[in-house]
Amino acid sequence: MNRPTHADGVTRGPLGPPPGPGSAPGRALAAVLRELRAVDGALYAAVAATSTPTLDRALRRLSHAADHSKISLGIAAALALSGARARRAALVGVGAVAVASAATNLLGKRLVHRARPDREAARVTVDRYVPMPASASFPSGHTAAAVAFATAVGVVLPEAAVPLGALASAVGYSRVHTGVHYPGDVAAGAVLGIASAAAALAAASSAPVPGRARQPSTFTAW
């Protein structure tokens, strides 16, 4: 099996190179990080080496369609044309996407400068290729936005949770399948997406609802 070259030599952060010699906890942490990088690279190589000609075109199109959260925004537009609860779900979902995108690009990618995988060295078939982004690899912005939208909308509109969750999972996997992300990037993006959804939901719950009278607190009632 062909293994991808480790093009992330300048990486810093949780998937970065191990620190120099130091204390026993430091050496243990370095060993754990080395093994995590090895697993990450092996999973990437396994996906690259598995022939899936039937899936290649569909996953390439899905990955491309998820650029700039076009899929999520399209779903939000459709929800906005429905009832009040669906419109609230759409609003919270778009807010979660905004939080996830900002956290990914302004925080995550700037803190962890992980280089993109070397698709050619891993022999990813060209039938899977989508444009290789110029930004850092960690975390996956596509995954963060898709998971944030699915999580936020799913909380407000539970009947949409399963299909949107499956869609977000497919978007995340498509980024590995097309060779532009390591699996670890996608996992980190999913965690960031959940946190972004939680932030958007918290903000929405604290915002006043038009037309609803504010209930007095216990102390005010007295």
Side-chain angles (χ1 to χ4, degrees), residues 34-134:
R34 278 197 305 270
E35 292 175 4
L36 287 175
R37 289 197 306 276
V39 171
D40 207 18
L43 290 173
Y44 180 89
V47 172
T50 303
S51 177
T52 54
T54 304
L55 293 174
D56 289 348
R57 178 177 296 181
L59 289 171
R60 186 183 72 235
R61 289 179 175 175
L62 175 63
S63 183
H64 180 68
D67 289 347
H68 309 295
S69 300
K70 291 194 295 287
I71 297 176
S72 296
L73 295 178
I75 295 172
L79 290 174
L81 299 176
S82 304
R85 192 162 62 97
R87 285 194 295 272
R88 180 172 180 269
L91 182 61
V92 175
V94 171
V97 169
V99 173
S101 298
T104 298
N105 295 304
L106 300 179
L107 185 62
K109 291 182 183 293
R110 294 189 179 187
L111 290 177
V112 185
H113 302 280
R114 190 183 200 189
R116 294 279 174 171
D118 188 338
R119 285 191 296 198
E120 294 182 0
R123 297 187 180 180
V124 176
T125 176
V126 295
D127 291 339
R128 300 182 182 182
Y129 276 23
V130 295
M132 180 68 77

